[in-house]
Amino acid sequence: MNLFFLFLSYIIIAYMLLSSLSYIALFLLAFRKVYRESELDPRETTEDLAGNERTFPVSILVPAYNEEVGVVSTVRSLLALEYPEKEIVVIDDGSKDQTSARMIEEFQMTEIPFAVRTYLKTADIKGIYQSSIFPYIRLIKKENGGKADALNAGINLSSYPYFCAIDGDSILENDALLKTMKPIIESDGQIIVTGGSVRIANGSTISRSKVELINLPTNPIVIMQIIEYFRAFLIGRLALSRLNILLIVSGAFGVFHKERVIRAGGYNVKTVGEDMELVVRLHRLLREEKSKQRIEYIPDPVCWTEAPESLDVLRSQRIRWQRGLFETLWTHKKMIFNPSYGSVGLLSMPYFLFVELLGAVFELCGYFIIAGGFFFSLIDPKVAGILFLVTIFYGSLISALAVLLEELTLHKYPKVSHLVRLYGWALTETFWYRPFMIIWRVQGIIAAFRKKQHWGDMKRKGIST
């Protein structure tokens, strides 16, 4: 038995070291890209675009379920976007609160007759409303069908060739849409999807639906999520985007070529990870068509969103995310290690399988073995100590690298005290926060077999003042 645990310990040590090396490789790829872009004048990259006749009009889709607290602030932030031609479509997916009532009252909306093009099948539409003061703002009231179904309804109603999907509690920076559309316009159709960074607004001052002062929250749970977002967006997504193997564009902020999405069948209503599943399906179709079109992540455009402040809500969110990852990989399992799908099949899909999905299983086994080695002599305490050090390196130091990348490039957190606190909390991740994440991710894998479909429950406090 001891030999078995010793062998398992070495397997986990090797796994964590290889995973750490993969993160370091991604960090180096990301650093080069972000550092080069940080030297450009951000206004020069968007000023000409704002008045360019080649700037495509965009439909902004806001799926909402029980978002009465934040939906008006979100729409007001969209009104302030520096973009020449846009429409805003809010889709109320059978909310049980006052989401629609808040929209109708705030924007003086009236019901209008409608005939919706049914590109994609959705739950029944109950009514469509239009603002009398901003005619390009519309509201769809529909039967509950889930977030994917709500987005498909928005696609059916949208008028423009590109759509931007954002969450009902999101706040976009004024130039975010311009920056996200810039590579699409400059690529002459070769880029069909772009995603921007998502940042956590808790602790910051937001006035008139705009981030006025960026600050760190005092809640350690939220601080750790900020660090996680650095790691996911600045390291993972940017590096994978450089290789054209990005599999996730956040549901909180992404721009898509509408015709491409319709040809792909729209959002999948049978998974809770509809955003990732759509991107993987688009990659799959591009490879099968031998197309050279790309999917890219742009680090600078920022979307601010509210993060969970309690362990209970955070647990629900992370189980849902992990379940969505499992369902996507299972749906497209034929792509894994399949050379027909190029680097997506040979690199990106295996990475998400072994690092992002199964990594939680390896790490959970590692924690049990560490405890068994120190307290029950299952293995040599020296081996347990090595495993413990590797675990610290794998978790905390990689997070610290993400904080470093943020400081060297985007500088969103202006105070030195912010960085000191972020570094300090990053180094504690292995000791308290990461074990929670590991357990919940394993629970997410288990939940994937139970197939219960619903919107994620997120108790909003509101991020606008």
Side-chain angles (χ1 to χ4, degrees):
M1 182 64 70
N2 283 7
L3 285 175
F4 169 76
F5 283 113
L6 183 62
F7 176 74
L8 186 58
S9 300
Y10 286 126
I11 292 292
I12 294 171
I13 289 171
Y15 167 82
M16 288 187 174
L17 288 174
L18 288 172
S19 296
S20 298
L21 289 174
S22 71
Y23 268 116
I24 291 171
L26 292 175
F27 170 82
L28 294 174
L29 281 171
F31 176 79
R32 183 179 177 186
K33 172 76 172 176
V34 178
Y35 186 76
R36 185 167 62 244
E37 291 194 358
S38 69
E39 295 179 325
L40 301 175
D41 184 341
R43 293 308 307 172
E44 285 184 4
T45 63
T46 57
E47 281 177 349
D48 292 340
L49 198 61
N52 193 327
E53 62 182 14
R54 292 176 59 238
T55 302
F56 301 112
V58 177
S59 302
I60 305 173
L61 309 184
V62 188
Y65 179 72
N66 293 345
E67 293 285 1
E68 64 179 2
V69 173
V71 68
V72 169
S73 296
T74 295
V75 174
R76 288 212 168 276
S77 81
L78 299 177
L79 286 172
L81 288 176
E82 299 170 2
Y83 202 82
E85 189 173 1
K86 61 183 180 289
E87 65 175 356
I88 301 167
V89 181
V90 177
I91 311 101
D92 183 351
D93 190 53
S95 295
K96 298 176 182 177
D97 66 358
Q98 298 299 305
T99 298
S100 286
R102 290 290 310 279
M103 284 290 301
I104 292 169
E105 178 184 2
E106 184 72 21
F107 299 106
Q108 300 178 31
M109 308 188 88
T110 56
E111 190 168 5
I112 59 173
F114 65 93
V116 178
R117 299 177 297 275
T118 311
Y119 299 119
L120 305 166
K121 186 178 179 180
T122 70
D124 291 341
I125 305 296
K126 296 193 291 185
I128 295 178
Y129 298 75
Q130 186 172 27
S131 171
S132 60
I133 49 177
F134 302 105
Y136 53 90
I137 298 179
R138 284 176 286 172
L139 168 70
I140 301 175
K141 290 183 68 175
K142 62 182 289 292
E143 298 289 346
N144 180 261
K147 184 178 179 182
D149 191 77
L151 285 165
N152 286 339
I155 292 170
N156 285 340
L157 184 68
S158 63
S159 308
Y160 296 143
Y162 288 87
F163 70 87
C164 173
I166 73 168
D167 282 345
D169 69 323
S170 298
I171 302 290
L172 294 185
E173 292 189 350
N174 287 357
D175 58 358
L177 189 56
L178 273 173
K179 289 180 178 178
T180 311
M181 284 297 296
K182 180 176 182 290
I184 292 175
I185 295 165
E186 293 180 344
S187 73
D188 195 26
Q190 287 303 298
I191 295 176
I192 60 168
V193 179
T194 56
S197 289
V198 177
R199 293 297 177 90
I200 291 173
N202 307 52
S204 297
T205 301
I206 298 179
S207 178
R208 299 181 298 276
S209 302
K210 180 180 179 182
V211 178
E212 300 286 354
L213 178 65
I214 298 174
N215 204 351
L216 281 181
T218 56
N219 188 333
I221 295 171
V222 182
I223 292 176
M224 294 309 301
Q225 290 174 76
I226 290 173
I227 296 167
E228 272 190 308
Y229 275 50
F230 287 169
R231 187 169 62 225
F233 285 93
L234 290 182
I235 294 182
R237 299 187 189 182
L238 182 55
L240 295 173
S241 173
R242 285 201 65 195
L243 301 173
N244 193 26
I245 56 176
L246 176 67
L247 297 190
I248 299 178
V249 169
S250 173
F253 183 31
V255 174
F256 297 80
H257 187 275
K258 185 171 76 172
E259 182 184 349
R260 261 292 180 186
V261 172
I262 292 172
R263 284 165 55 191
Y267 285 91
N268 185 348
V269 299
K270 295 182 179 179
T271 178
V272 298
E274 68 285 326
D275 46 2
M276 180 181 183
E277 195 282 327
L278 175 60
V279 173
V280 174
R281 187 158 20 107
L282 288 170
H283 270 300
R284 183 173 178 169
L285 293 174
L286 290 176
R287 293 308 192 280
E288 290 173 352
E289 296 172 8
K290 302 188 184 308
S291 171
K292 294 184 179 180
Q293 291 178 312
R294 294 175 55 85
I295 295 171
E296 288 203 355
Y297 164 72
I298 317 299
D300 191 18
V302 170
C303 166
W304 296 88
T305 190
E306 182 180 3
E309 295 192 346
S310 71
L311 289 175
D312 186 54
V313 178
L314 182 60
R315 173 182 176 274
S316 176
Q317 181 194 70
R318 296 314 165 89
I319 289 175
R320 180 181 172 86
W321 286 2
Q322 191 74 353
R323 174 188 162 184
L325 172 60
F326 179 94
E327 290 175 345
T328 298
L329 293 175
W330 180 256
T331 300
H332 300 283
K333 55 185 179 293
K334 69 171 284 187
M335 296 175 65
I336 300 174
F337 292 119
N338 188 336
S340 299
Y341 296 98
S343 53
V344 172
L346 296 175
L347 292 177
S348 192
M349 293 290 282
Y351 168 81
F352 275 91
L353 173 63
F354 291 108
V355 177
E356 299 295 341
L357 183 71
L358 297 180
V361 178
F362 280 99
E363 287 187 69
L364 186 61
C365 291
Y367 277 108
F368 277 118
I369 291 173
I370 289 169
F374 283 138
F375 301 112
F376 303 106
S377 300
L378 289 179
I379 59 172
D380 187 334
K382 292 181 181 179
V383 177
I386 293 172
L387 182 56
F388 181 62
L389 291 175
V390 171
T391 302
I392 294 174
F393 176 79
Y394 180 64
S396 298
L397 294 184
I398 297 300
S399 294
L401 278 179
V403 177
L404 175 64
L405 190 59
E406 153 67 21
E407 165 56 15
L408 292 176
T409 54
L410 301 181
H411 311 293
K412 288 294 180 183
Y413 290 91
K415 297 181 181 178
V416 174
S417 61
H418 291 163
L419 295 172
V420 172
R421 288 174 62 196
L422 287 169
Y423 273 118
W425 281 110
L427 295 175
T428 71
E429 180 180 5
T430 300
F431 301 101
W432 70 282
Y433 184 78
R434 197 167 184 87
F436 284 121
M437 296 299 108
I438 292 167
I439 293 169
W440 296 338
R441 285 166 63 193
V442 172
Q443 289 178 334
I445 296 173
I446 296 170
F449 295 96
R450 301 168 76 176
K451 297 292 183 182
K452 187 177 180 182
Q453 187 84 357
H454 58 81
W455 280 74
D457 295 326
M458 170 72 178
K459 296 178 178 62
R460 307 288 185 195
K461 292 184 177 180
I463 56 176
S464 180
T465 60

